[in-house]
Every structure is written in structure tokens, then in C-alpha cells.
Amino acid sequence: MEHRHLNHQDYTAAAVDDVISRGRWQDWADLRRAAMDDPSLLDRIERVCARHVHDPYAQRHHFWMNHVRFRRAAA
């Protein structure tokens, strides 16, 4: 996925938010794979999602927050 306003493909906080908010299935699969390869990415995903947990309609962010919690519990 080409991230808007970004000229690189690193998973910065802005890129993570963009993938979660606007990404499609393959973009999510790529983010999941990247987080499995680099567990420090889970911290970044958690920080991005933490800004949206107060919004009950931010279901994508809630999903990813639960994914982070599940991955940490399984480790």
C-alpha cells in the first residue's frame, strides 16, 4: 500500500495508522507479517490504537489493539 504523504515504506506511526484506517486485507496481512518478524512493531501498533480506544466506532483500531494483546499473551 502506498501511504499517503509518505515517501518510504517503513512502518512509522503514520504508516501504521494509514494501514489500519485505510488498508485492505493484503495491507493488513503485510502489517501482521511485519509485526511477526519484528515484535517491536507491536509497540507502535499499540500506541497508534491507544489514541482510538475511546471511540466505540473505531472498530479497526480495536481489532488491532486486541491483536497486539493476543500476540503478547501467546508469547
Side-chain angles (χ1 to χ4, degrees):
M1 174 176 181
E2 290 293 321
H3 307 294
R4 58 191 177 89
H5 308 297
L6 301 175
N7 58 5
H8 51 77
Q9 294 301 315
D10 293 334
Y11 282 107
T12 62
V16 168
D17 192 39
D18 196 38
V19 167
I20 292 172
S21 298
R22 296 171 188 82
R24 297 184 185 262
W25 181 258
Q26 188 59 49
D27 304 318
W28 280 29
D30 293 342
L31 179 60
R32 180 182 174 275
R33 199 171 305 111
M36 290 174 67
D37 292 342
D38 180 11
S40 68
L41 185 54
L42 292 174
D43 294 332
R44 199 168 310 140
I45 293 169
E46 184 177 33
R47 282 194 311 272
V48 167
C49 292
R51 295 182 299 205
H52 298 276
V53 294
H54 67 280
D55 182 1
Y57 298 105
Q59 294 177 2
R60 291 172 169 237
H61 290 86
H62 284 274
F63 171 86
W64 278 96
M65 181 65 89
N66 286 326
H67 176 72
V68 168
R69 290 177 181 157
F70 175 78
R71 295 286 304 158
R72 288 194 174 141

